[in-house]
């Protein structure tokens, strides 16, 4: 660090500090680079096997020279050149990576303990940041995903957790993407795989659902009885106006019963049909109520 002062034309004294550039290359580094080039020349052409490296289409190489990040960004895909002894490099895979978040014991907002696991898809967007700004981007992303899963689910009720999985997944993705952006990591997708409830809670929910179904079934049956009674009332009015409709309905009932392959058919036989045969029994017989009889006919 240099310090100095000088006089201005106005008579004032101006002081300044000069901070050395941390990126400036020192004499030792220049000397080491020169020796590396001499080593390449001396061992030519065998040195070419160590100096030229290849990265795949889905990879990038981040090169360090004597601990400093080389200018020009990440190399690749294809062939790139490194100096022996002073250059080191790290390969970064740009493909999408998926991992399972271990099941997390989460306490929901309505005090229900559930076990939830998820799957996260991410990829490297900035290879330089992924190597320089974080020690292990993969492990850091996994730990952050588990923590984010617990934090997001802790703000939801159990009903919301079971019904709004898509909204919760989008919220987790946005939160993870914002946190991992300085590391050069882009979270592409988050999906909640399974929500495991306690056994007692499952039994309680099953009993509640069964009771709800039974209540709906009773309501539907009652509504059906009301509609059937109204229809029967209208049918009785029609049959009163036209007595032959009752006879047709009677024959239709016999036809439907015989279609079921029954061995016996039981049907009412009104005594009114026998008035012609009972005429000599006296006038008192004409005022007797009709008595229904049953007759069995083999089919």
């Amino acid at each position: 660090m240099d310090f100095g002062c000088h006089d201005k034309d106005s008579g004032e004294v101006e002081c300044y500090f000069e901070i050395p550039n941390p990126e400036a290359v020192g004499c030792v580094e220049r000397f080491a680079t020169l020796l590396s080039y001499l080593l390449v020349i001396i061992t030519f052409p065998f040195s070419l096997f160590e100096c030229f490296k290849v990265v795949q289409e889905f990879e990038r190489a981040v090169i360090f020279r004597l601990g400093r990040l080389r200018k020009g960004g990440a190399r690749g895909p294809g062939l790139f050149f490194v100096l022996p002894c002073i250059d080191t490099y790290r390969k970064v895979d740009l493909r999408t990576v998926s991992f399972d978040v271990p099941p997390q014991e989460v306490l929901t907002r309505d005090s229900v303990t559930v076990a939830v696991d998820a799957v996260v898809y991410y990829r490297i967007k900035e290879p330089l940041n992924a190597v320089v700004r974080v020690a292990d981007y993969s492990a850091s992303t996994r730990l952050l995903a588990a923590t984010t899963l617990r934090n997001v689910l802790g703000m939801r009720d159990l009903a919301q957790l079971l019904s709004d999985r898509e909204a919760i997944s989008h919220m987790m993705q946005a939160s993870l993407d914002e946190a991992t952006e300085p590391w050069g990591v882009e979270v592409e997708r988050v999906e909640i795989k399974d929500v495991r409830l306690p056994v007692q809670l499952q039994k309680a929910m099953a009993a509640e659902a069964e009771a709800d179904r039974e209540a709906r079934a009773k309501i539907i049956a009652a509504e059906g009885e009301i509609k059937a009674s109204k229809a029967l009332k209208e049918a009785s009015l029609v049959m009163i106006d036209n007595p032959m409709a009752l006879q047709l309905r009677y024959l239709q009932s016999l036809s439907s019963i015989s279609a079921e392959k029954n061995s016996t058919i039981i049907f009412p036989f009104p005594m009114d049909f026998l008035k012609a045969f009972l005429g000599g029994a006296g006038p008192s017989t004409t005022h007797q109520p009709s008595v229904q009889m049953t007759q069995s006919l083999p089919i």
Side-chain angles (χ1 to χ4, degrees):
M1 180 183 296
D2 296 335
F3 173 79
C5 298
H6 63 274
D7 297 333
K8 291 185 176 181
D9 297 337
S10 59
E12 298 178 355
V13 178
E14 181 181 6
C15 297
Y16 62 90
F17 293 91
E18 291 184 0
I19 301 176
N21 185 7
E23 297 183 358
V25 180
C27 297
V28 178
E29 295 177 354
R30 292 179 181 176
F31 181 71
T33 304
L34 179 61
L35 288 180
S36 180
Y37 277 111
L38 289 176
L39 180 63
V40 171
I41 294 173
I42 292 172
T43 58
F44 186 84
F46 301 101
S47 60
L48 297 180
F49 295 99
E50 293 294 331
C51 294
F52 289 99
K53 305 294 182 182
V54 178
V55 291
Q56 304 296 328
E57 180 69 29
F58 52 85
E59 294 177 334
R60 297 295 183 272
V62 180
I63 304 176
F64 296 90
R65 176 165 294 177
L66 295 175
R68 295 176 180 268
L69 183 64
R70 289 193 60 182
K71 297 180 180 180
R75 268 63 170 181
L79 190 68
F80 64 95
F81 179 80
V82 295
L83 291 176
C85 302
I86 63 173
D87 284 353
T88 58
Y89 70 95
R90 285 187 58 184
K91 290 183 180 181
V92 180
D93 197 334
L94 302 183
R95 293 176 293 183
T96 299
V97 181
S98 62
F99 65 89
D100 292 327
V101 180
Q104 304 294 316
E105 293 289 338
V106 181
L107 183 65
T108 61
R109 191 169 58 181
D110 51 353
S111 301
V112 178
T113 302
V114 294
V116 184
D117 56 354
V119 59
V120 179
Y121 300 86
Y122 74 93
R123 69 179 183 90
I124 302 300
K125 183 173 62 175
E126 296 292 339
L128 296 181
N129 294 340
V131 174
V132 175
R133 293 195 175 185
V134 61
D136 189 348
Y137 61 86
S138 178
S140 301
T141 304
R142 293 172 185 268
L143 293 175
L144 184 61
T147 305
T148 304
L149 179 63
R150 290 194 297 267
N151 294 337
V152 172
L153 298 181
M155 298 184 297
R156 300 297 183 98
D157 296 334
L158 179 61
Q160 296 176 347
L161 176 59
L162 297 176
S163 60
D164 297 339
R165 291 192 180 186
E166 186 174 356
I168 295 175
S169 299
H170 288 311
M171 181 181 293
M172 284 189 58
Q173 178 184 354
S175 180
L176 281 174
D177 196 18
E178 182 180 359
T180 58
E181 184 178 3
W183 304 342
V185 177
E186 180 184 5
V187 178
E188 295 181 338
R189 191 178 182 88
V190 177
E191 291 291 342
I192 296 177
K193 293 175 58 179
D194 188 19
V195 179
R196 289 186 291 275
L197 304 177
V199 178
Q200 295 180 353
L201 182 59
Q202 293 180 10
K203 293 180 179 179
M205 295 178 65
E208 180 183 0
E210 184 178 359
D212 189 18
R213 288 193 297 268
E214 290 181 356
R216 289 199 302 267
K218 291 180 179 179
I219 293 174
I220 293 172
E223 293 177 352
E225 291 291 339
I226 294 173
K227 294 180 180 179
S229 62
K230 292 180 180 180
L232 290 174
K233 179 182 178 182
E234 295 177 359
S236 63
L237 295 177
V238 173
M239 291 180 182
I240 290 174
D241 296 336
N242 190 359
M244 292 302 298
L246 180 61
Q247 185 68 18
L248 293 176
R249 179 59 181 164
Y250 170 72
L251 296 176
Q252 184 179 6
S253 300
L254 289 179
S255 176
S256 61
I257 292 174
S258 62
E260 297 178 359
K261 299 181 180 180
N262 293 329
S263 60
T264 304
I265 297 177
I266 300 175
F267 60 94
F269 190 79
M271 291 297 297
D272 295 341
F273 294 160
L274 303 178
K275 286 182 179 181
F277 304 99
L278 300 177
S284 59
T285 57
T286 58
H287 299 284
Q288 294 180 355
S290 61
V291 180
Q292 291 185 347
M293 299 179 60
T294 59
Q295 180 179 359
S296 298
L297 295 180
I299 295 179

